[in-house]
Coordinates of all heavy atoms in Angstrom, one line a residue:
V139 N -13.1 30.8 17.1 CA -12.2 31.9 17.3 C -13.0 33.1 17.6 O -12.6 33.9 18.5 CB -11.3 32.1 16.1 CG1 -10.6 33.4 16.2 CG2 -10.3 30.9 15.9
S140 N -14.1 33.4 16.9 CA -14.9 34.6 17.1 C -15.5 34.6 18.5 O -15.5 35.7 19.2 CB -16.0 34.6 16.1 OG -15.5 34.7 14.8
I141 N -15.9 33.4 19.0 CA -16.5 33.4 20.3 C -15.5 33.3 21.5 O -15.5 34.2 22.4 CB -17.5 32.2 20.4 CG1 -18.6 32.3 19.4 CG2 -18.1 32.0 21.8 CD1 -19.5 31.1 19.3
F142 N -14.6 32.3 21.4 CA -13.8 32.1 22.6 C -12.5 32.8 22.6 O -11.8 32.9 23.6 CB -13.4 30.6 22.6 CG -14.6 29.7 22.9 CD1 -15.3 29.0 21.9 CD2 -15.1 29.6 24.2 CE1 -16.4 28.2 22.1 CE2 -16.2 28.8 24.5 CZ -16.9 28.1 23.4
A143 N -12.0 33.4 21.4 CA -10.8 34.1 21.4 C -11.0 35.6 21.2 O -10.3 36.4 21.9 CB -9.9 33.6 20.2
V144 N -11.9 36.0 20.4 CA -12.2 37.4 20.1 C -13.1 38.0 21.1 O -12.9 39.1 21.8 CB -12.7 37.7 18.7 CG1 -13.0 39.2 18.5 CG2 -11.6 37.2 17.7
H145 N -14.3 37.4 21.3 CA -15.3 37.9 22.2 C -15.0 37.7 23.7 O -15.0 38.6 24.5 CB -16.7 37.3 21.8 CG -17.8 37.9 22.6 ND1 -18.2 39.2 22.5 CD2 -18.6 37.3 23.6 CE1 -19.2 39.4 23.3 NE2 -19.5 38.3 24.0
W146 N -14.8 36.4 24.1 CA -14.6 36.1 25.5 C -13.1 36.1 25.9 O -12.8 36.1 27.1 CB -15.2 34.7 25.8 CG -16.7 34.7 25.8 CD1 -17.5 35.8 25.9 CD2 -17.5 33.6 25.8 NE1 -18.8 35.4 25.9 CE2 -18.9 34.1 25.8 CE3 -17.3 32.2 25.7 CZ2 -20.0 33.2 25.8 CZ3 -18.4 31.4 25.7 CH2 -19.7 31.9 25.8
K147 N -12.2 36.0 24.9 CA -10.8 36.1 25.2 C -10.3 35.0 26.2 O -9.5 35.3 27.1 CB -10.4 37.5 25.7 CG -10.6 38.6 24.7 CD -10.2 40.0 25.2 CE -10.2 41.0 24.1 NZ -11.5 41.2 23.5
I148 N -10.8 33.8 26.0 CA -10.4 32.7 26.9 C -9.2 32.0 26.3 O -8.2 31.7 27.0 CB -11.6 31.7 27.0 CG1 -12.8 32.4 27.6 CG2 -11.1 30.5 27.8 CD1 -14.0 31.4 27.7
F149 N -9.1 31.8 25.0 CA -8.0 31.2 24.3 C -7.4 32.1 23.3 O -8.1 33.0 22.8 CB -8.5 29.9 23.6 CG -9.1 28.9 24.6 CD1 -10.5 28.7 24.6 CD2 -8.3 28.1 25.4 CE1 -11.1 27.8 25.5 CE2 -8.9 27.2 26.2 CZ -10.3 27.0 26.3
P150 N -6.1 31.9 23.0 CA -5.5 32.7 22.0 C -6.0 32.4 20.6 O -6.3 31.2 20.3 CB -4.0 32.4 22.1 CG -4.0 31.0 22.7 CD -5.2 31.0 23.6
P151 N -6.2 33.4 19.7 CA -6.7 33.1 18.4 C -5.8 32.3 17.5 O -6.2 31.5 16.7 CB -7.0 34.5 17.8 CG -6.1 35.4 18.5 CD -5.9 34.8 19.9
T152 N -4.5 32.6 17.6 CA -3.5 31.9 16.8 C -2.2 31.7 17.6 O -2.1 32.2 18.7 CB -3.1 32.7 15.5 OG1 -2.7 34.0 15.9 CG2 -4.3 32.9 14.6
G153 N -1.3 31.0 17.0 CA 0.0 30.8 17.7 C 0.2 29.4 18.2 O -0.8 28.7 18.4
Y154 N 1.4 29.1 18.5 CA 1.7 27.7 19.0 C 2.8 27.8 20.0 O 3.9 28.5 19.8 CB 2.1 26.8 17.9 CG 2.5 25.4 18.4 CD1 1.5 24.5 18.7 CD2 3.8 25.0 18.5 CE1 1.9 23.2 19.2 CE2 4.2 23.8 18.9 CZ 3.2 22.9 19.2 OH 3.5 21.6 19.7
T155 N 2.6 27.1 21.2 CA 3.7 27.0 22.2 C 4.0 25.5 22.3 O 3.1 24.7 22.5 CB 3.2 27.5 23.5 OG1 2.8 28.9 23.4 CG2 4.2 27.4 24.6
A156 N 5.3 25.2 22.2 CA 5.7 23.8 22.3 C 5.4 23.2 23.7 O 5.5 23.9 24.7 CB 7.2 23.7 22.0
I157 N 5.0 21.9 23.7 CA 4.6 21.3 25.0 C 5.8 21.2 25.9 O 5.7 21.2 27.1 CB 4.0 19.9 24.7 CG1 3.3 19.4 26.0 CG2 5.0 19.0 24.1 CD1 2.5 18.1 25.7
T158 N 7.0 21.1 25.3 CA 8.2 21.1 26.1 C 8.6 22.4 26.8 O 9.3 22.5 27.8 CB 9.4 20.6 25.3 OG1 9.6 21.5 24.1 CG2 9.2 19.2 24.8
T159 N 8.0 23.5 26.2 CA 8.3 24.8 26.8 C 7.3 25.1 27.9 O 7.7 25.6 29.0 CB 8.2 25.9 25.7 OG1 9.1 25.6 24.6 CG2 8.4 27.3 26.2
S160 N 6.0 24.9 27.6 CA 5.0 25.2 28.6 C 3.8 24.3 28.3 O 3.2 24.5 27.3 CB 4.6 26.6 28.7 OG 3.5 26.9 29.5
F161 N 3.5 23.4 29.2 CA 2.3 22.5 29.0 C 1.0 23.3 29.0 O 0.1 23.1 28.2 CB 2.2 21.4 30.0 CG 1.0 20.5 29.9 CD1 1.0 19.5 28.9 CD2 -0.1 20.7 30.7 CE1 -0.2 18.7 28.7 CE2 -1.2 19.9 30.6 CZ -1.3 18.9 29.6
T162 N 0.9 24.3 29.9 CA -0.3 25.1 30.0 C -0.4 26.0 28.7 O -1.5 26.1 28.2 CB -0.2 26.1 31.2 OG1 0.0 25.3 32.4 CG2 -1.5 26.9 31.4
G163 N 0.7 26.5 28.3 CA 0.6 27.3 27.0 C 0.2 26.5 25.8 O -0.6 26.9 25.0
W164 N 0.8 25.2 25.8 CA 0.4 24.3 24.7 C -1.0 23.9 24.7 O -1.7 23.9 23.7 CB 1.3 23.0 24.8 CG 0.9 22.0 23.8 CD1 1.3 21.9 22.5 CD2 0.0 20.9 24.0 NE1 0.7 20.8 21.9 CE2 -0.1 20.1 22.8 CE3 -0.7 20.4 25.2 CZ2 -0.8 19.0 22.7 CZ3 -1.5 19.3 25.0 CH2 -1.5 18.6 23.8
L165 N -1.6 23.7 25.9 CA -3.0 23.3 26.1 C -3.9 24.4 25.7 O -4.9 24.2 25.0 CB -3.2 22.9 27.5 CG -4.6 22.3 27.8 CD1 -4.7 20.9 27.1 CD2 -4.7 22.0 29.4
K166 N -3.5 25.7 26.0 CA -4.4 26.8 25.6 C -4.4 26.9 24.0 O -5.4 27.2 23.4 CB -3.9 28.1 26.2 CG -4.2 28.2 27.7 CD -3.7 29.5 28.3 CE -4.0 29.6 29.8 NZ -3.6 30.9 30.3
D167 N -3.2 26.8 23.5 CA -3.1 27.0 22.0 C -3.7 25.9 21.2 O -4.3 26.1 20.1 CB -1.6 27.1 21.6 CG -0.9 28.3 22.1 OD1 -1.6 29.3 22.4 OD2 0.3 28.3 22.3
V168 N -3.7 24.6 21.8 CA -4.2 23.5 21.0 C -5.7 23.2 21.2 O -6.3 22.5 20.5 CB -3.4 22.2 21.4 CG1 -4.0 21.6 22.7 CG2 -3.4 21.2 20.3
T169 N -6.3 23.9 22.2 CA -7.7 23.6 22.5 C -8.7 23.9 21.4 O -9.4 23.0 21.0 CB -8.1 24.4 23.8 OG1 -7.3 24.0 24.9 CG2 -9.6 24.2 24.1
L170 N -8.6 25.1 20.9 CA -9.6 25.4 19.8 C -9.3 24.6 18.5 O -10.3 24.1 17.9 CB -9.5 26.9 19.5 CG -10.0 27.9 20.5 CD1 -9.9 29.3 20.1 CD2 -11.4 27.5 20.9
P171 N -8.1 24.4 18.0 CA -7.9 23.5 16.9 C -8.4 22.1 17.2 O -9.0 21.4 16.3 CB -6.4 23.6 16.6 CG -6.0 24.8 17.2 CD -6.8 25.1 18.4
A172 N -8.1 21.6 18.4 CA -8.5 20.2 18.7 C -10.0 20.1 18.8 O -10.6 19.1 18.3 CB -7.9 19.8 20.1
V173 N -10.7 21.1 19.3 CA -12.2 21.0 19.4 C -12.7 21.1 17.9 O -13.7 20.4 17.6 CB -12.7 22.2 20.2 CG1 -14.2 22.3 20.1 CG2 -12.3 21.9 21.7
T174 N -12.1 21.9 17.1 CA -12.5 22.1 15.7 C -12.5 20.7 15.0 O -13.5 20.3 14.3 CB -11.7 23.0 14.9 OG1 -11.7 24.3 15.6 CG2 -12.1 23.2 13.5
L175 N -11.5 20.0 15.1 CA -11.4 18.7 14.5 C -12.1 17.6 15.3 O -12.7 16.7 14.7 CB -9.9 18.3 14.3 CG -9.1 19.2 13.3 CD1 -7.6 18.7 13.4 CD2 -9.6 19.0 11.9
G176 N -12.0 17.6 16.6 CA -12.5 16.6 17.4 C -14.0 16.5 17.4 O -14.6 15.4 17.4
L177 N -14.7 17.6 17.3 CA -16.2 17.6 17.3 C -16.7 16.9 16.1 O -17.7 16.1 16.2 CB -16.7 19.0 17.4 CG -16.7 19.7 18.7 CD1 -17.2 21.1 18.6 CD2 -17.5 18.9 19.8
L178 N -16.1 17.1 15.0 CA -16.6 16.5 13.7 C -16.4 15.0 13.8 O -17.2 14.2 13.3 CB -15.9 17.1 12.5 CG -15.9 18.6 12.4 CD1 -15.3 19.1 11.1 CD2 -17.4 19.1 12.5
V179 N -15.2 14.6 14.2 CA -14.9 13.1 14.4 C -15.8 12.5 15.4 O -16.3 11.4 15.3 CB -13.5 12.9 14.6 CG1 -13.2 11.4 14.9 CG2 -12.6 13.4 13.5
G180 N -16.0 13.2 16.5 CA -16.9 12.8 17.6 C -18.3 12.5 17.1 O -19.0 11.6 17.6
A181 N -18.8 13.4 16.2 CA -20.1 13.2 15.7 C -20.2 11.9 14.9 O -21.2 11.2 15.0 CB -20.5 14.4 14.8
A182 N -19.2 11.6 14.1 CA -19.2 10.3 13.4 C -19.1 9.1 14.3 O -19.8 8.1 14.1 CB -18.0 10.3 12.4
L183 N -18.3 9.2 15.3 CA -18.2 8.1 16.3 C -19.6 7.9 17.0 O -20.0 6.8 17.3 CB -17.1 8.4 17.3 CG -15.7 8.4 16.8 CD1 -14.7 8.7 17.9 CD2 -15.3 7.1 16.1
A184 N -20.2 9.0 17.4 CA -21.5 8.9 18.2 C -22.5 8.2 17.3 O -23.3 7.4 17.8 CB -21.9 10.3 18.6
R185 N -22.6 8.6 16.0 CA -23.6 8.0 15.2 C -23.4 6.5 15.0 O -24.3 5.7 15.0 CB -23.6 8.7 13.8 CG -24.5 8.1 12.8 CD -24.7 9.0 11.6 NE -25.6 10.1 11.9 CZ -26.2 10.9 11.0 NH1 -25.9 10.7 9.8 NH2 -27.0 11.9 11.4
Q186 N -22.1 6.1 14.8 CA -21.8 4.7 14.6 C -22.0 3.9 15.9 O -22.5 2.8 15.8 CB -20.3 4.6 14.1 CG -19.9 3.2 13.9 CD -20.7 2.5 12.8 OE1 -20.7 3.0 11.7 NE2 -21.3 1.4 13.1
L187 N -21.6 4.5 17.0 CA -21.8 3.8 18.3 C -23.3 3.6 18.6 O -23.7 2.5 19.1 CB -21.2 4.6 19.4 CG -21.3 4.0 20.8 CD1 -20.8 2.5 20.8 CD2 -20.6 4.8 21.9
R188 N -24.1 4.6 18.3 CA -25.6 4.5 18.5 C -26.1 3.3 17.7 O -26.9 2.5 18.2 CB -26.3 5.8 18.1 CG -27.8 5.7 18.1 CD -28.4 7.0 17.6 NE -29.9 6.9 17.6 CZ -30.7 6.3 16.7 NH1 -30.1 5.7 15.6 NH2 -32.0 6.3 16.9
A189 N -25.8 3.3 16.4 CA -26.3 2.2 15.5 C -25.8 0.8 16.0 O -26.6 -0.1 16.0 CB -25.9 2.5 14.1
S190 N -24.6 0.7 16.3 CA -24.0 -0.6 16.7 C -24.6 -1.0 18.1 O -24.8 -2.2 18.3 CB -22.5 -0.5 16.8 OG -21.9 -0.1 15.6
L191 N -24.8 -0.1 19.0 CA -25.3 -0.4 20.3 C -26.8 -0.9 20.2 O -27.2 -1.8 20.9 CB -25.2 0.8 21.3 CG -25.3 0.5 22.7 CD1 -24.3 -0.6 23.2 CD2 -25.2 1.8 23.5
I192 N -27.5 -0.2 19.4 CA -28.9 -0.6 19.2 C -29.0 -2.1 18.7 O -29.8 -2.9 19.2 CB -29.7 0.3 18.3 CG1 -29.9 1.7 19.0 CG2 -31.0 -0.2 17.9 CD1 -30.5 2.8 18.1
D193 N -28.2 -2.4 17.7 CA -28.1 -3.8 17.2 C -27.6 -4.8 18.3 O -28.2 -5.9 18.4 CB -27.2 -3.8 16.0 CG -27.8 -3.1 14.8 OD1 -29.0 -2.9 14.8 OD2 -27.0 -2.7 13.9
A194 N -26.6 -4.4 19.0 CA -26.1 -5.3 20.0 C -27.0 -5.6 21.1 O -27.1 -6.7 21.6 CB -24.8 -4.7 20.6
L195 N -27.8 -4.6 21.6 CA -28.7 -4.8 22.7 C -30.0 -5.5 22.3 O -30.8 -5.9 23.1 CB -29.1 -3.4 23.2 CG -28.0 -2.6 23.9 CD1 -28.6 -1.3 24.4 CD2 -27.4 -3.4 25.0
D196 N -30.1 -5.8 21.0 CA -31.3 -6.6 20.5 C -30.9 -8.0 20.1 O -31.5 -8.5 19.2 CB -32.0 -5.8 19.3 CG -33.3 -6.4 19.0 OD1 -34.0 -6.8 19.9 OD2 -33.7 -6.3 17.8
T197 N -29.9 -8.5 20.7 CA -29.4 -9.8 20.3 C -29.7 -10.8 21.5 O -30.0 -10.5 22.6 CB -27.9 -9.8 20.1 OG1 -27.2 -9.2 21.3 CG2 -27.5 -9.0 18.9
P198 N -29.7 -12.2 21.1 CA -30.1 -13.2 22.2 C -29.1 -13.2 23.4 O -29.6 -13.4 24.5 CB -30.0 -14.5 21.4 CG -30.2 -14.1 20.0 CD -29.6 -12.7 19.8
Y199 N -27.8 -12.9 23.2 CA -26.9 -13.0 24.3 C -27.2 -11.9 25.3 O -26.9 -12.1 26.5 CB -25.5 -13.1 23.9 CG -25.0 -11.9 23.2 CD1 -24.5 -10.7 23.9 CD2 -24.9 -11.8 21.8 CE1 -24.0 -9.6 23.3 CE2 -24.4 -10.7 21.1 CZ -24.0 -9.6 21.9 OH -23.5 -8.5 21.2
I200 N -27.7 -10.8 24.8 CA -28.0 -9.7 25.8 C -29.3 -10.1 26.6 O -29.3 -9.8 27.8 CB -28.2 -8.4 25.0 CG1 -26.9 -7.9 24.4 CG2 -28.8 -7.3 25.9 CD1 -25.9 -7.5 25.5
R201 N -30.2 -10.6 25.9 CA -31.4 -11.1 26.6 C -31.1 -12.2 27.6 O -31.7 -12.2 28.7 CB -32.5 -11.6 25.6 CG -33.1 -10.4 24.8 CD -34.4 -10.9 24.0 NE -34.0 -11.8 23.0 CZ -33.7 -11.4 21.7 NH1 -33.8 -10.1 21.4 NH2 -33.4 -12.3 20.8

Side-chain angles (χ1 to χ4, degrees):
V139 169
S140 300
I141 297 175
F142 295 100
V144 177
H145 184 66
W146 288 345
K147 295 180 172 56
I148 300 177
F149 301 103
T152 58
Y154 177 78
T155 302
I157 191 172
T158 55
T159 303
S160 172
F161 177 78
T162 303
W164 174 82
L165 191 61
K166 288 182 179 180
D167 292 337
V168 83
T169 296
L170 292 184
V173 171
T174 300
L175 294 174
L177 283 180
L178 307 183
V179 176
L183 294 181
R185 173 166 289 192
Q186 181 62 57
L187 180 58
R188 175 187 180 275
S190 300
L191 194 58
I192 290 175
D193 291 339
L195 294 180
D196 193 32
T197 52
Y199 65 83
I200 292 294
R201 290 192 289 269

